[in-house]
């Protein structure tokens, strides 16, 4: 070394000379190996793992309550849920599967029959039908006396009935004799926004109205629901809100994000997830561009155009339109994970542990295990809504598992039966649209519109006229009109029983009774609303009212009786 240094060559020059003696082919092989390892890890490929397992696939893991009748009576009969899932070898990556589903997906070819449905606030929802071939009626839809089951599909974010995975599911269910309808989100499926209300990740009002409408139109038809991606979050949230009062007999959740706040943190964590975030933001901006005249008036349009992530879009659009204070508030209130415990419907939940959009960290494992109505099925692979299988990738594993579960549930005695309820439908998002100056809450809890003509000369509300809600193909079904039929009609029809011209005593009694009714009505209305929303006993409310008002009542009683006592004493002294 000292001689080399003395000869004028340094250690670095010697290393370069030695490296030059290595053939270039060796460097190419090494570079290819490094790139392959990087791509393998970046795309999360699992070809080597499948090879080591002999291409048998990963086992489907089931999470359920030990005493679950849904598992023992329904899921135990589903072979696909007790087997293994092997991804298509040339799509052995969650990213490749998700990308292939978005680009092609190889969906079956068929034609929907469209029905436009108008919800209570004036919004329009496109219902795309694919009825079973032997049940096609003259009206283009299913017969009202049809007994075959009906499946309602709720698509994912910015997806509609034309999405490849939706078509796979619809075709599979229809081929088994089911009638299928896709409930598209507002503004999707080629339908314009006809109100100042947009859908979001927790908006359950549309699916609630659609389900009630279908249940009333086809009362003899068992009703099932399938939600995918953000549609699964909406569906599970709806089931938790309704509890045992929903007419849904069974449901399936596919790749639900469960906790939107955790999903937001996850999708901005790594480089590949940030790419998905930007891609979804582009889709949301495309959705916004379709309805620019409405969104430009309601939201921050300049902020929407500059949005580069889902969170930024929600900040400039969703939070403003739906009246959420912050984006985190929106995510917390609209996450379905907090509603899992109240689900009373047989529910199958399918999630892939390598889902690049919906992380496994958000899955409510303990909550699903504690609910006897829920069975959670997880697979090691599958991507987001993909689960391609076979060499040709023409089948989706979760589609077969869903149809198998729903058919087994329909043939069993474990379908959910709706229980009667006595409550007013309320918005799942309290701050969705501000209608405060234009509504009036009646005595029985009904909400009726108020116009300038509804007030008398003295400013007091007069008899109000409310259009009756009819059950039709294009008008939503409002449950309250059926729960309070006679009482509500009498109050809103504008018809009063007129007393004959008679004695003044009768008129004074009527005046006194009207004043007494005006005093009692607000109290009665408040108690009715509290008992409906809080589920508390009337006696408990009366006790609370007595305890809270006792100091004031006691003081008034003390002052009154003290004056009465003093007056007799003064009379005695004068005598």
């Amino acid at each position: 070394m000292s001689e080399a240094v003395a000869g004028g060559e340094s250690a670095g020059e010697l290393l370069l000379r030695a490296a030059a003696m290595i053939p270039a082919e060796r460097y190419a092989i090494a570079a290819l190996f490094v790139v392959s390892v990087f791509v393998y890890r970046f795309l999360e490929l699992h070809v080597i793992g499948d090879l080591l397992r002999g291409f048998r696939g990963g086992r489907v893991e089931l999470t359920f309550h030990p005493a679950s009748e849904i598992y023992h009576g329904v899921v135990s009969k589903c072979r696909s849920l007790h087997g293994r899932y092997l991804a298509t070898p040339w799509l052995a990556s969650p990213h490749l599967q998700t990308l292939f589903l978005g680009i092609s997906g190889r969906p079956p070819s068929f034609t929907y029959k469209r029905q436009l449905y108008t919800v209570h606030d004036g919004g329009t929802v496109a219902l795309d039908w694919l009825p079973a071939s032997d049940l096609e009626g003259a009206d283009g839809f299913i017969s009202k006396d049809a007994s075959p089951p009906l499946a309602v599909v709720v698509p994912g974010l910015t997806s509609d009935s034309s999405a490849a995975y939706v078509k796979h599911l619809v075709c599979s269910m229809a081929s088994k004799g089911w009638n299928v309808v896709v409930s598209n989100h507002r503004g999707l499926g080629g339908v314009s926004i006809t109100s100042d209300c947009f859908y979001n990740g927790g908006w359950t009002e549309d699916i609630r109205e659609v389900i009630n409408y279908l249940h009333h139109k086809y009362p003899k038809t068992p009703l099932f629901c399938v939600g995918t991606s953000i549609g699964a979050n909406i569906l599970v949230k709806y089931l938790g809100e309704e509890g045992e009062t929903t007419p849904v007999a069974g449901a399936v959740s596919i790749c639900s994000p469960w906790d939107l706040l955790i999903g937001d943190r996850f999708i901005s964590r790594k480089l590949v997830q940030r790419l998905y975030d930007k891609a979804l933001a582009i889709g949301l901006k495309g959705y916004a561009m379709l309805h620019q005249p409405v969104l430009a008036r309601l939201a921050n349009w300049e902020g929407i155009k500059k949005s580069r992530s889902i969170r930024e879009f929600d900040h400039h659009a969703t939070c403003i339109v739906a009246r959420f204070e912050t984006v985190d508030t929106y995510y917390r209130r609209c996450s379905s994970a907090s509603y899992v415990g109240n689900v009373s419907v047989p529910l199958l939940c399918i999630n892939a542990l390598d889902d690049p959009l919906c992380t496994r960290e958000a899955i409510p494992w303990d909550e699903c295990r504690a609910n006897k109505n829920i069975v959670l099925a997880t697979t090691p692979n599958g991507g987001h809504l993909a689960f391609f299988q076979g060499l040709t990738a023409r089948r989706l594993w979760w589609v077969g598992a869903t149809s198998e579960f729903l058919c087994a549930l329909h043939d069993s005695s474990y379908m959910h039966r709706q229980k009667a309820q006595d409550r007013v439908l309320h918005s799942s998002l309290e701050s969705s649209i501000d209608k405060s100056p234009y509504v009036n809450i009646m005595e029985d809890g009904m909400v009726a519109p108020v116009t300038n003509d509804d007030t008398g000369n003295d400013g007091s509300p007069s008899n109000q006229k409310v259009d009756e809600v009819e059950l039709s193909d294009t008008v939503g079904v409002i449950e309250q009109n059926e729960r309070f039929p006679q009482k509500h009609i009498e109050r809103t029809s504008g018809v009063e029983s007129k007393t004959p011209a008679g004695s003044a005593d009768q008129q004074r009694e009527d005046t006194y009774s009207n004043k007494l009714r005006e005093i009692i009505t607000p109290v009665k209305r408040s108690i009715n609303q509290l008992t409906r929303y809080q589920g508390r006993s009337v006696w408990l409310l009366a006790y609370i009212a007595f305890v809270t008002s006792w100091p004031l009542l006691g003081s008034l009683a003390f002052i009154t009786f003290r004056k009465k006592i003093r007056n007799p004493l003064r009379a005695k002294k004068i005598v």
Side-chain angles (χ1 to χ4, degrees):
M1 179 65 67
S2 60
E3 294 178 356
V5 172
E9 291 182 340
S10 63
E13 294 175 347
L14 291 175
L15 290 176
L16 291 176
R17 180 182 296 181
M21 298 175 61
I22 300 176
E25 294 79 4
R26 302 290 179 88
Y27 285 108
I29 294 175
L32 181 62
F33 177 78
V34 172
V35 172
S36 300
V37 172
F38 173 78
V39 172
Y40 191 91
R41 296 296 300 272
F42 183 80
L43 296 180
E44 301 179 38
L45 294 166
H46 47 81
V47 179
I48 297 177
D50 293 341
L51 179 62
L52 295 177
R53 286 191 295 266
F55 290 101
R56 294 186 303 160
R59 184 181 298 276
V60 180
E61 298 292 338
L62 299 178
T63 302
F64 55 91
H65 193 281
S68 173
E69 295 181 349
I70 306 302
Y71 171 77
H72 296 290
V74 180
V75 177
S76 60
K77 301 178 182 179
C78 301
R79 295 183 58 184
S80 57
L81 296 176
H82 290 82
R84 294 174 176 270
Y85 164 67
L86 175 63
T88 300
W90 50 277
L91 293 175
S93 163
H95 308 294
L96 293 179
Q97 291 211 51
T98 305
L99 183 63
F100 183 74
L101 178 66
I103 295 176
S104 173
R106 296 184 175 180
S109 178
F110 57 85
T111 303
Y112 291 105
K113 296 179 180 179
R114 170 153 293 188
Q115 175 187 1
L116 295 180
Y117 174 80
T118 304
V119 294
H120 70 281
D121 64 1
T124 304
V125 175
L127 301 179
D128 289 335
W129 291 81
L130 183 64
S133 58
D134 57 340
L135 293 178
E136 292 183 358
D139 60 349
F141 303 109
I142 64 176
S143 172
K144 293 184 178 180
D145 297 329
S147 57
L150 172 63
V152 181
V153 181
V154 186
L157 185 69
T158 67
S159 296
D160 54 24
S161 58
S162 63
Y165 64 90
V166 174
K167 283 193 169 184
H168 276 285
L169 175 63
V170 170
C171 184
S172 175
M173 299 303 301
S175 64
K176 292 177 171 54
W178 286 51
N179 301 297
V180 190
V181 57
V182 181
S183 179
N184 295 286
H185 300 294
R186 298 188 185 202
L188 292 173
V191 178
S192 302
I193 293 292
T194 56
S195 69
D196 289 350
C197 186
F198 287 75
Y199 88 98
N200 55 56
W203 180 252
T204 58
E205 291 305 301
D206 288 350
I207 187 62
R208 178 179 288 106
E209 285 203 39
V210 169
I211 289 175
N212 289 334
Y213 160 72
L214 295 174
H215 175 64
H216 285 81
K217 187 174 182 180
Y218 311 107
K220 298 181 180 180
T221 301
L223 189 62
F224 299 84
C225 287
V226 181
T228 57
S229 190
I230 202 68
N233 185 78
I234 295 174
L235 175 61
V236 174
K237 184 173 180 287
Y238 158 77
L239 296 175
E241 291 173 348
E242 294 296 302
E244 296 183 352
T245 61
T246 176
V248 176
V252 180
S253 165
I254 307 296
C255 296
S256 174
W258 296 109
D259 193 312
L260 302 183
L261 188 60
I262 295 178
D264 173 67
R265 302 292 189 268
F266 170 77
I267 205 171
S268 59
R269 184 181 304 169
K270 298 180 180 179
L271 175 61
V272 63
Q273 270 72 40
R274 288 196 292 270
L275 295 177
Y276 284 108
D277 194 10
K278 292 183 179 180
L280 291 174
I282 293 174
L284 288 172
K285 288 194 292 185
Y287 168 78
M289 290 295 296
L290 295 175
H291 313 290
Q292 179 180 356
V294 181
L295 267 179
R297 176 171 52 88
L298 299 176
N300 181 7
W301 182 250
E302 294 299 324
I304 292 175
K305 292 192 298 183
K306 298 178 181 178
S307 299
R308 294 187 175 182
S309 65
I310 299 177
R311 185 180 183 87
E312 292 181 3
F313 181 88
D314 289 335
H315 174 71
H316 296 295
T318 307
C319 290
I320 297 177
V321 176
R323 307 287 181 85
F324 287 106
E325 294 82 0
T326 63
V327 178
D328 285 355
T329 302
Y330 158 56
Y331 290 157
R332 289 189 180 96
R333 292 184 183 178
C334 295
S335 297
S336 62
S338 56
Y339 294 85
V340 171
N342 198 39
V343 173
S344 301
V345 172
L347 175 64
L348 172 66
C349 304
I350 297 178
N351 280 85
L353 299 182
D354 65 349
D355 193 320
L357 295 177
C358 304
T359 174
R360 68 174 74 182
E361 301 170 9
I363 299 177
W365 302 90
D366 294 338
E367 289 82 351
C368 292
R369 187 180 292 108
N371 193 325
K372 296 182 180 180
N373 299 300
I374 297 179
V375 176
L376 173 64
T378 56
T379 59
N381 312 118
H384 187 68
L385 297 174
F387 295 85
F388 286 103
Q389 59 180 172
L391 292 176
T392 59
R394 293 189 178 276
R395 292 179 295 129
L396 306 184
W397 174 85
W398 68 266
V399 171
T402 297
S403 60
E404 188 178 12
F405 169 79
L406 292 180
C407 290
L409 179 61
H410 178 251
D411 295 336
S412 70
S413 59
Y414 298 101
M415 289 191 299
H416 172 73
R417 307 295 180 184
Q418 182 184 20
K419 291 188 177 181
Q421 60 174 342
D422 184 15
R423 67 177 184 84
V424 179
L425 287 178
H426 60 281
S427 174
S428 60
L429 303 179
E430 297 178 357
S431 58
S432 57
I433 297 180
D434 186 11
K435 302 186 184 70
S436 54
Y438 309 106
V439 298
N440 179 47
I441 302 178
M442 310 299 289
E443 176 185 353
D444 53 5
M446 298 297 295
V447 177
V450 176
T451 62
N452 294 332
D453 298 333
D454 291 330
T455 57
N457 296 331
D458 57 349
S460 61
S462 62
N463 296 327
Q464 301 174 7
K465 299 180 180 180
V466 180
D467 296 336
E468 296 181 3
V469 180
E470 299 178 355
L471 179 61
S472 62
D473 290 345
T474 57
V475 180
V477 179
I478 305 298
E479 290 186 26
Q480 297 95 316
N481 292 348
E482 299 183 358
R483 297 205 178 97
F484 310 101
Q486 194 63 34
K487 185 175 182 181
H488 180 62
I489 291 174
E490 292 177 355
R491 288 182 56 84
T492 60
S493 61
V495 178
E496 293 184 354
S497 58
K498 297 183 179 180
T499 59
S503 62
D505 295 338
Q506 183 67 26
Q507 295 180 359
R508 284 195 298 268
E509 290 179 1
D510 293 342
T511 303
Y512 175 76
S513 62
N514 291 334
K515 291 183 178 179
L516 183 61
R517 190 180 298 110
E518 291 177 359
I519 297 174
I520 296 176
T521 296
V523 179
K524 184 178 179 181
R525 182 181 65 226
S526 300
I527 293 177
N528 289 338
Q529 290 177 344
L530 287 173
T531 53
R532 289 192 186 103
Y533 289 115
Q534 301 297 333
R536 305 301 186 189
S537 172
V538 176
W539 295 107
L540 179 60
L541 293 174
Y543 170 76
I544 294 174
F546 177 77
V547 172
T548 54
S549 61
W550 172 247
L552 178 60
L553 295 178
S555 301
L556 293 176
F558 176 75
I559 294 173
T560 302
F561 284 105
R562 184 176 60 180
K563 291 181 178 180
K564 291 183 178 181
I565 294 173
R566 287 182 178 179
N567 291 335
L569 292 177
R570 290 180 180 177
K572 290 181 180 180
K573 289 181 180 180
I574 293 173
V575 173

